[in-house]
Amino acid sequence: MKRLILLFLILGNVTLVFAQANRQGHYRWRNDDGTEETATWIEAEDTPAEAMQYTNVRLRVEYMRDVSDSGIPFALFYYETSAVTDWFVGTQITTDGSVNAFKLTETIYYDQDDNALDRLTTTDGYTHALGWCNELTEVLFKDLVDGADVEVEWCIQPTANAVLNDSYFIAMKLNGNIGYESYAFVPELTIVENTLPVELISFSVVPNDEGLLLTWQSASEINNLGYIIEQRFSLDEDWQQFASYQTHAELEGQNTTTTQTHYEFLDSNFYNKDKVWYRLSSVDSDGKVNVAGVVPVDLTSATPHQFALDAAYPNPFNPETTIPYRLAIDTQVDLRVYDILGKPVATLVNGEKQSAGHYTVKWDGTNANGNSMPSGVYFIRMQAEGKSFTHKVLLVK
């Protein structure tokens, strides 16, 4: 009997060791208003925070590893509405925010795979061997060091599907697997109402043959007369206004609306500079100017540094949507539309050889025969240089 009890205790201890072999450690919520070196923290380490819908937030997560994983491990990001479950299942956070409460998004303040600075507290003798900043990579493959912890800083954005005043709990899973009992700390985020006059979903600048195309999308607007655009060519310069809603009709606002609105403005100038910054601001009916977003553009090369299929806009759409993509080198491109069953609907780019650069293509919601497709979810898939990218779009009629 004593032997059985001893065996039970030994097995119990072994189970505990394995349960804690991989643990999610310290975390810190971070805002998105500064560079990696100078950004401020929203809250102290291991402290819950709040975030507004359509506003970028960044979460630094520490993952502690004691055991070896076969192959090159990968990290995924999840959210859950409860922190009291026995096993954290959750919903994976991807670049698609049409259904989920969060989406992976871009920030102008660091690049993909930048070193994650401002390290978290070292715990229980663990060493901070590696750390990366991650934006749009849904499955992050990294060659991790056995027996050392890793930090990843994810950039996410609460979407219209996030329930106001509800708390969400976040997890980074290595190889898609971590138990709730293996949490040292559970990141918590409460979603609050966005009180800004303009809820900006996106703001980007894409070089093309005609100049620099500024595009942005608002989720809603309150008493918005329109937008002004400013630029500068170094951080030491003052902002200079070069376009406004008073001089350009395409910059006029929607006054008050709760529907998504897409805007475009072409800066047709070609600058003999290394870099340019654009600042987008809205002006309300009281004349108050509210900064909506800032985007830096590298003018030394219009060639993208990586392949990417960017988010289509508008989305949901009717009757057509624009699909941007980027090519890092000259290559053949295949871009097609599939229905929810995986059946091909339309071919937008049919294996054509294209030069490195930025591209856009439109889909008008029709199939290969020119027939209009019914309302529903469709998938845009791009294949280039052995890589495959997929985004979801919603056709609404």
Side-chain angles (χ1 to χ4, degrees):
M1 184 65 179
K2 290 182 179 179
R3 291 180 180 178
L4 288 176
I5 294 174
L6 179 61
L7 178 61
F8 175 79
L9 291 174
I10 293 174
L11 289 176
N13 288 335
V14 170
T15 302
L16 179 61
V17 170
F18 279 118
Q20 294 183 351
N22 290 331
R23 292 187 292 159
Q24 181 167 296
H26 292 283
Y27 72 90
R28 190 172 244 160
W29 289 104
R30 195 172 191 182
N31 62 27
D32 203 30
D33 66 353
T35 64
E36 177 62 19
E37 289 78 15
T38 61
T40 57
W41 299 104
I42 291 180
E43 296 287 351
E45 196 170 289
D46 305 323
T47 304
E50 295 181 345
M52 295 187 298
Q53 288 177 316
Y54 313 112
T55 301
N56 289 0
V57 292
R58 290 145 63 177
L59 174 61
R60 175 72 56 80
V61 183
E62 176 190 33
Y63 195 100
M64 300 177 288
R65 301 174 67 236
D66 278 341
V67 297
S68 174
D69 292 295
S70 59
I72 299 177
F74 58 89
L76 301 96
F77 211 36
Y78 290 79
Y79 71 90
E80 178 63 277
T81 56
S82 173
V84 295
T85 55
D86 293 331
W87 188 263
F88 197 108
V89 180
T91 301
Q92 185 182 355
I93 302 177
T94 68
T95 55
D96 181 12
S98 61
V99 177
N100 295 335
F102 298 93
K103 67 176 181 179
L104 293 177
T105 186
E106 290 180 293
T107 174
I108 67 171
Y109 301 114
Y110 61 77
D111 294 323
Q112 180 71 23
D113 289 336
D114 275 358
N115 288 330
L117 304 179
D118 301 322
R119 294 293 175 83
L120 295 165
T121 301
T122 301
T123 304
D124 300 332
Y126 287 81
T127 58
H128 293 84
L130 300 167
W132 306 277
C133 298
N134 183 63
E135 298 180 11
L136 298 178
T137 303
E138 299 177 357
V139 183
L140 184 64
F141 288 89
K142 290 295 178 183
D143 189 7
L144 305 181
V145 176
D146 291 336
D149 69 326
V150 58
E151 293 184 12
V152 178
E153 183 163 306
W154 305 77
C155 187
I156 63 174
Q157 184 182 107
T159 70
N161 303 304
V163 180
L164 295 180
N165 300 317
D166 273 10
S167 293
Y168 293 86
F169 303 89
I170 313 294
M172 184 177 76
K173 301 183 183 182
L174 203 65
N175 292 344
N177 190 16
I178 183 174
Y180 175 72
E181 69 274 13
S182 296
Y183 282 89
F185 304 95
V186 184
E188 179 181 350
L189 187 68
T190 302
I191 310 305
V192 297
E193 184 178 4
N194 194 323
T195 57
L196 299 176
V198 172
E199 295 182 2
L200 198 66
I201 298 176
S202 62
F203 177 36
S204 61
V205 181
V206 178
N208 62 24
D209 293 336
E210 299 178 349
L212 297 170
L213 182 63
L214 287 70
T215 62
W216 63 98
Q217 189 170 0
S218 66
S220 65
E221 302 178 23
I222 301 175
N223 298 326
N224 180 32
L225 296 180
Y227 298 91
I228 59 175
I229 300 175
E230 301 166 291
Q231 67 177 190
R232 64 183 181 186
F233 296 98
S234 77
L235 294 175
D236 298 329
E237 293 182 5
D238 293 331
W239 291 101
Q240 301 294 327
Q241 179 177 314
F242 76 97
S244 89
Y245 67 99
Q246 296 174 316
T247 56
H248 296 78
E250 61 267 44
L251 298 181
E252 293 178 358
Q254 300 298 309
N255 197 356
T256 297
T257 180
T258 57
T259 60
Q260 294 183 7
T261 306
H262 177 77
Y263 295 89
E264 291 185 357
F265 181 84
L266 178 66
D267 181 3
S268 57
N269 296 307
F270 288 85
Y271 301 103
N272 185 24
K273 302 284 186 178
D274 292 334
K275 202 166 188 177
V276 60
W277 282 259
Y278 289 96
R279 184 166 73 176
L280 178 71
S281 300
S282 64
V283 182
D284 62 27
S285 57
D286 294 327
K288 183 179 179 180
V289 178
N290 303 279
V291 176
V294 178
V295 172
V297 184
D298 185 0
L299 299 175
T300 58
S301 174
T303 302
H305 297 296
Q306 59 185 359
F307 291 89
L309 175 64
D310 295 320
Y313 59 84
N315 185 25
F317 72 97
N318 181 29
E320 70 176 17
T321 187
T322 299
I323 304 158
Y325 60 98
R326 293 171 273 166
L327 305 178
I329 62 174
D330 299 353
T331 188
Q332 288 184 312
V333 179
D334 194 86
L335 191 65
R336 301 173 188 267
V337 181
Y338 296 85
D339 64 17
I340 197 170
L341 299 177
K343 297 180 180 179
V345 172
T347 300
L348 305 180
V349 182
N350 190 16
E352 299 173 14
K353 183 68 175 290
Q354 294 184 334
S355 301
H358 301 260
Y359 295 85
T360 59
V361 64
K362 295 183 183 293
W363 182 46
D364 60 1
T366 63
N367 61 16
N369 298 320
N371 299 322
S372 296
M373 298 299 295
S375 298
V377 173
Y378 295 88
F379 296 92
I380 310 297
R381 183 182 181 188
M382 182 184 81
Q383 292 180 301
E385 202 63 18
K387 302 177 185 295
S388 180
F389 306 86
T390 303
H391 275 319
K392 185 191 302 181
V393 294
L394 178 62
L395 174 58
V396 179
K397 294 185 176 180

